[in-house]
Amino acid sequence: MKNVFGISYLVADVSRMHGGAQKVVYKIDCTNGFSFVLYVWDLTKNYFEEEKNNENRTEQSYGSDLFEINNKYFIQHGIKTPHLWYLNKEKNPYPFDFAFVEYIDGQKAEAYFQHSDRGVQNKVFQRLGDMLEAMHTDVRTTYGKLNQDVIHKEACHLLKLENAKLQLSYASRYIDSIRANESKLLDTLYKLEARIEPRQRYGFIHGELGPDHVMVSDDLEPYLIDIEGAAFFDIEHEHSFLKFRFGDYYRYLMQDTLDPNRMVFYQFHHHLSLTSGGLKLLHRGFPDQSFAKNLAESHSQRALRFIEG
């Protein structure tokens, strides 16, 4: 801290921040009133360590390298995200990467779902919608992370098809209703995928943008956090996630040019993935076991609705 900020910056308090399924996050308060956030990328503390070790490079959404390059890109393109003060990737003196990041004094966007002032709600979610529209209309003819220069031959949604199959297989081991309907769910997955027409236009997306990944400052400016998964991809992957995570407030974020077939396919993928993700958090000792259990149960029920009738 002294090397980065100066000798007058001394630690007054350290508090673990809520969340952190993939990285450990702390708020650091200094004796002079300054605060910042400490990110720690320690794979042994990642609840998805097994998946990260075997992850396709195109699918990577973890690590300080991705955070660094995405943070720079966001800021250069006017997409608000906390400023990166310092990043240490030397593994010395610690065996992990860590960063000092700007602390946004405010609340997560989900707090504004229940805000009593409709004008404040409108301002927050309209600003978020404008920012996302600008981000999603930043397009390329190839998809992937910013640190990749590979031109992929296969369509990007096929990556999610393969991932959905893996997550369905995992969920079927632990949820009776999923196991009993596994073949129907798999048939539905293939049916939805078959409706998708070829495309070579990809927008820049966050990758997992729920209201818990948007910090709103006290002056009502939204900032995107947990940005390691950002990439050029089908924007329907983002919008199908936004739609059920933001509920009624998605009306501020929706766009008119979305492909309905991609929207349904990615929605189904999200439900299967989050069912499996909730189970893995449950099995691997995530502190909020109630959250993990509810995540798996609610999304398994939503996935099963695709085969009803």
Side-chain angles (χ1 to χ4, degrees):
M1 282 176 53
K2 291 179 181 178
N3 290 338
V4 176
F5 298 122
I7 60 173
S8 64
Y9 290 81
L10 303 173
V11 175
D13 186 56
V14 178
S15 55
R16 178 81 174 263
M17 298 185 74
H18 178 71
Q22 295 204 46
K23 63 178 176 285
V24 189
V25 183
Y26 302 92
K27 182 188 176 195
I28 312 296
D29 294 315
C30 301
T31 54
N32 61 2
F34 179 74
S35 297
F36 68 95
V37 176
L38 169 65
Y39 285 169
V40 175
W41 289 275
D42 182 351
L43 197 55
T44 65
K45 305 297 184 183
N46 188 316
Y47 289 94
F48 298 99
E49 179 180 4
E50 178 182 340
E51 287 75 17
K52 298 305 165 187
N53 284 325
N54 299 311
E55 201 168 42
N56 181 307
R57 189 164 182 261
T58 305
E59 295 272 68
Q60 284 180 355
S61 59
Y62 174 81
S64 63
D65 287 343
L66 286 171
F67 178 82
E68 181 179 31
I69 194 171
N70 290 339
N71 182 274
K72 182 178 180 180
Y73 191 88
F74 273 41
I75 291 173
Q76 286 178 340
H77 289 77
I79 305 164
K80 285 188 169 58
T81 193
H83 181 76
L84 173 60
W85 299 118
Y86 172 73
L87 176 62
N88 187 308
K89 298 188 289 185
E90 298 174 1
K91 304 292 194 298
N92 180 26
Y94 309 105
F96 48 76
D97 296 350
F98 65 94
F100 296 171
V101 179
E102 179 185 8
Y103 173 70
I104 303 300
D105 197 3
Q107 303 180 84
K108 292 183 177 180
E110 55 199 358
Y112 288 86
F113 288 171
Q114 310 300 327
H115 201 281
S116 59
D117 189 330
R118 182 61 62 86
V120 168
Q121 282 184 331
N122 288 340
K123 184 174 290 188
V124 167
F125 292 110
Q126 189 60 60
R127 285 177 173 177
L128 178 59
D130 292 344
M131 184 164 62
L132 293 183
E133 183 177 9
M135 187 168 81
H136 293 161
T137 52
D138 177 11
V139 298
R140 289 184 179 177
T141 57
T142 59
Y143 67 87
K145 305 291 190 232
L146 293 174
N147 62 353
Q148 296 174 0
D149 54 8
V150 177
I151 298 177
H152 302 280
K153 294 181 180 179
E154 72 278 9
C156 68
H157 74 274
L158 295 179
L159 295 172
K160 300 304 177 182
L161 174 69
E162 294 305 312
N163 182 62
K165 288 159 60 178
L166 289 173
Q167 307 317 319
L168 173 58
S169 176
Y170 187 91
S172 69
R173 294 182 231 163
Y174 302 100
I175 300 178
D176 292 342
S177 57
I178 296 291
R179 181 166 56 252
N181 291 283
E182 185 174 6
S183 62
K184 290 182 180 180
L185 290 164
L186 191 58
D187 287 345
T188 298
L189 181 65
Y190 281 119
K191 182 174 70 175
L192 295 176
E193 187 279 325
R195 297 175 182 171
I196 295 177
E197 298 292 334
R199 172 198 277 172
Q200 289 185 318
R201 180 181 173 85
Y202 307 100
F204 194 59
I205 69 171
H206 176 280
E208 193 184 6
L209 192 54
D212 55 332
H213 288 163
V214 180
M215 287 298 301
V216 180
S217 66
D218 287 342
D219 56 357
L220 305 183
E221 292 290 348
Y223 290 74
L224 306 190
I225 61 173
D226 291 339
I227 59 174
E228 290 93 322
F232 284 92
F233 209 77
D234 280 340
I235 64 171
E236 289 85 359
H237 182 274
E238 187 112 290
H239 276 274
S240 58
F241 194 76
L242 292 168
K243 189 173 182 179
F244 68 77
R245 289 303 312 278
F246 280 84
D248 291 342
Y249 298 94
Y250 177 66
R251 66 184 184 272
Y252 293 93
L253 316 177
M254 62 191 302
Q255 294 183 24
D256 298 330
T257 58
L258 301 172
D259 175 5
N261 291 329
R262 280 179 166 80
M263 285 290 287
V264 176
F265 170 78
Y266 285 125
Q267 181 186 354
F268 189 50
H269 164 269
H270 290 316
H271 293 322
L272 294 175
S273 181
L274 289 168
T275 297
S276 173
L279 288 170
K280 290 171 184 176
L281 291 176
L282 195 63
H283 300 156
R284 297 170 185 178
F286 188 69
D288 193 342
Q289 290 281 282
S290 177
F291 166 80
K293 184 172 184 290
N294 288 337
L295 186 68
E297 289 180 349
S298 63
H299 285 283
S300 66
Q301 291 167 9
R302 292 186 185 195
L304 288 165
R305 287 182 199 141
F306 277 74
I307 62 172
E308 290 178 355

